[in-house]
Amino acid sequence: ISLMVMMALVMNDSGMANLLAQGIQQVAGPVFPVLSPFVGVLGAFITGSNTNSNVMFGALQLQTAQALAISGVLIAAAQSVGGSLGAGVSPDKSVIGAAVTGLSGSENQIMRKALPYCVIIVLVVGIQAWALIALLGMAP
């Protein structure tokens, strides 16, 4: 956890998060709200925790929202929802679930069955975030 927090601090204090946010703004543009919860999933999949995903990518998400002049609150919410869903399908959760249920060795099957549901739900969340921003004009 300490190393992850240090990494997040280095990213923020050195300007890396801001530089990445500007790049995401140029590449993703108005589609970014759809992609935002997937960033949360990525962070949680890597770390196994929604909290750690928010530590890693929360500032990046907010800076990207500011660069796009869209609601940072909505993007932060999409990040956290994505992180929550991603934590549920992370490799460490599959290992724990398989061990508790006596299915050790079948972690890949568990993840293979759970990932499509995660992707579909995260896509729906992203589309909802995009719709709220596009249709309701949710600015910062």
Side-chain angles (χ1 to χ4, degrees):
I1 292 174
S2 297
L3 293 174
M4 195 168 329
V5 171
M6 284 189 287
M7 181 195 72
L9 288 172
V10 167
M11 280 183 65
N12 292 330
D13 293 343
S14 68
M16 282 192 276
N18 189 32
L19 187 62
L20 286 170
Q22 290 174 3
I24 293 170
Q25 172 200 14
Q26 292 174 356
V27 172
V31 181
F32 174 70
V34 176
L35 304 176
S36 180
F38 286 98
V39 175
V41 169
L42 175 65
F45 190 83
I46 292 169
T47 65
S49 164
N50 182 23
T51 302
N52 292 336
S53 175
N54 291 337
V55 168
M56 283 177 60
F57 294 125
L60 172 66
Q61 296 269 31
L62 288 176
Q63 289 180 13
T64 305
Q66 289 171 348
L68 290 166
I70 58 177
S71 173
V73 173
L74 187 62
I75 294 300
Q79 154 71 29
S80 192
V81 170
S84 295
L85 292 165
V89 296
S90 64
D92 65 330
K93 298 295 191 300
S94 297
V95 169
I96 291 169
V100 168
T101 58
L103 297 172
S104 293
S106 60
E107 292 84 359
N108 62 341
Q109 293 172 349
I110 294 169
M111 288 181 67
R112 199 172 289 135
K113 288 186 179 190
L115 275 173
Y117 294 105
C118 177
V119 170
I120 290 167
I121 295 169
V122 170
L123 182 61
V124 169
V125 168
I127 291 169
Q128 289 174 337
W130 173 81
L132 285 170
I133 289 169
L135 301 177
L136 301 179
M138 294 187 73

